[in-house]
Amino acid sequence: MGVSLRKIIGLAGLFCLLTFAGLNTTFAAEKAGGEGEAFSPGDMITHHITDDYVWHFFDGHYGTLYLPVILYTDNGLEVFSSSNFYDEHHEKVAYGNYMIDHGHIKTLDGASVLDFSITKNVASMLVSIFLMLLVFLSIAKTYKKNPGEAPRGMQSFFEPIILFIKDEIAIPNIGEKKYKKFLPFLLTLFFFIWFNNLLGLMPGGANLTGNISVTFVLAFIVLIVTLASSGKAYWQHIFAMPGVPKPILLILIPIELIGILTKPFSLMVRLFANITAGHIIILSLLSLIFIFESVWIAPASVAFSIFMNFLELFVALLQAYIFTLLSAMYFGAAVEEAHH
């Protein structure tokens, strides 16, 4: 059974309305919580797009998840709840020899500390990994149970996407002979980015793929896979390009070597910038309601915010596709055989 377009549009609309409701509730709570203080959109936006040691789902004590803090110091391993860094008014306070300063835990006496804490982004990543395992292990089990039968349920939704990545991304860019060893990685890469892009748009969601550390690691893994898979022809086109005079090689070789690093760098920055920009735009539009404090601003602000939410649903899929496509192109260039 296929998934009808009407269902997809309905779910997307509900998704956007829930996102707006969650953001609006949070804004109202922040506005009401700071009596006598001017609303600061910059502080609010920064708070929502950066990592944290607590995870806010909605206002109130029961809407906050205090995450575990794991530190390694000269005294050994220390594990405690991040709730110790906040008082009853949710103001930051020092705990023992530690304090949170600009999103990082530091010691009061200046001693070194290694931070292995489960932050909001780490917790969100674990949630996305659990969802991916739940979905794809269930699909694999169904395939084994009903081999050769028409897809049903989640199969009917994910199978066209998997076949699209195989037939339109992996095979054309890597080749019919060598695509199979890269396909599992490309599928994992695509769905990991897509799932986390969508989770970041949900009320209370973490901005995981808008964290440059995360996009750096993804791009670095792509670089390692590319270099590890590269053959003789790949390096020959860098250090001894056929038909190019040797004096010209002195110019082209440094450019090609720099190009090896700029390709993953572009992957890192593109994903980070697009996802973060979308969050900032939506939050900025909703901030206009509290900046102007006018009922006339609210309809336009809400309308544009809902439109941006729909657009971000498309961007979430598009950025996963672009990252996967470019990765496949880099792999294809690495394993391409020499042409004589």
Side-chain angles (χ1 to χ4, degrees):
M1 294 177 63
V3 180
S4 68
L5 181 61
R6 183 180 299 178
K7 289 182 180 179
I8 294 175
I9 294 175
L11 288 172
L14 178 61
F15 185 82
C16 292
L17 289 174
L18 285 173
T19 303
F20 166 71
L23 290 171
N24 195 35
T25 301
T26 305
F27 289 171
E30 290 181 359
K31 183 69 176 176
E35 295 180 2
E37 297 180 6
F39 174 69
S40 175
D43 293 341
M44 180 275 300
I45 292 172
T46 302
H47 171 74
H48 280 272
I49 66 174
T50 54
D51 203 3
D52 203 350
Y53 291 92
V54 297
W55 196 347
H56 294 287
F57 298 100
F58 50 87
D59 187 52
H61 174 73
Y62 296 103
T64 301
L65 176 63
Y66 293 98
L67 300 167
V69 175
I70 306 172
L71 304 175
Y72 185 81
T73 64
D74 296 336
N75 299 322
L77 189 67
E78 295 190 47
V79 181
F80 54 90
S81 173
S82 60
S83 61
N84 293 295
F85 287 120
Y86 299 90
D87 59 17
E88 62 273 13
H89 304 293
H90 204 71
E91 297 293 333
K92 290 180 181 178
V93 295
Y95 175 70
N97 190 38
Y98 308 110
M99 64 175 294
I100 297 179
D101 183 28
H102 295 91
H104 300 281
I105 294 179
K106 297 181 179 180
T107 56
L108 298 176
D109 58 6
S112 61
V113 57
L114 295 177
D115 190 356
F116 300 98
S117 303
I118 306 297
T119 61
K120 180 173 67 173
N121 281 344
V122 175
S124 177
M125 181 174 62
L126 294 176
V127 170
S128 69
I129 292 172
F130 172 77
L131 290 176
M132 288 177 64
L133 289 173
L134 185 67
V135 169
F136 293 108
L137 289 178
S138 174
I139 292 176
K141 183 178 179 181
T142 305
Y143 273 116
K144 292 179 181 179
K145 187 177 180 181
N146 306 305
E149 295 186 10
R152 62 183 68 180
M154 285 193 296
Q155 279 181 283
S156 62
F157 178 80
F158 285 101
E159 184 176 283
I161 302 174
I162 295 172
L163 292 177
F164 177 83
I165 295 172
K166 169 179 170 286
D167 296 332
E168 303 298 331
I169 296 180
I171 294 177
N173 292 287
I174 301 176
E176 188 80 37
K177 297 180 180 179
K178 300 183 178 181
Y179 81 92
K180 289 185 179 180
K181 69 177 181 179
F182 296 101
L183 185 59
F185 175 75
L186 292 174
L187 289 170
T188 303
L189 193 64
F190 175 85
F191 285 110
F192 178 82
I193 295 174
W194 188 30
F195 273 45
N196 281 289
N197 287 349
L198 293 177
L199 288 173
L201 291 173
M202 295 183 67
N207 185 32
L208 181 69
T209 45
N211 186 311
I212 199 165
S213 298
V214 175
T215 59
F216 167 79
V217 171
L218 293 176
F220 183 73
I221 294 174
V222 171
L223 174 62
I224 296 300
V225 173
T226 301
L227 297 180
S229 306
S230 59
K232 181 180 178 181
Y234 178 77
W235 296 106
Q236 184 179 7
H237 278 80
I238 294 176
F239 292 103
M241 283 168 274
V244 177
K246 291 185 178 180
I248 304 299
L249 286 177
L250 297 175
I251 301 174
L252 292 182
I253 289 175
I255 294 175
E256 291 293 330
L257 290 174
I258 293 173
I260 293 176
L261 298 177
T262 56
K263 289 174 182 177
F265 179 80
S266 67
L267 287 178
M268 173 186 72
V269 174
R270 182 184 292 106
L271 180 59
F272 159 74
N274 279 279
I275 299 304
T276 302
H279 285 276
I280 291 175
I281 291 173
I282 294 172
L283 294 169
S284 299
L285 287 170
L286 291 173
S287 296
L288 294 176
I289 300 173
F290 303 97
I291 292 173
F292 290 98
E293 298 183 348
S294 172
V295 69
W296 302 106
I297 296 294
S301 180
V302 170
F304 279 110
S305 298
I306 293 177
F307 169 76
M308 281 301 304
N309 266 285
F310 274 104
L311 186 60
E312 281 298 294
L313 290 175
F314 171 70
V315 171
L317 178 62
L318 179 64
Q319 289 304 314
Y321 165 74
I322 292 175
F323 201 104
T324 308
L325 174 64
L326 293 176
S327 299
M329 292 175 64
Y330 301 155
F331 299 157
V335 300
E336 185 180 13
E337 297 179 357
H339 299 287
H340 300 285

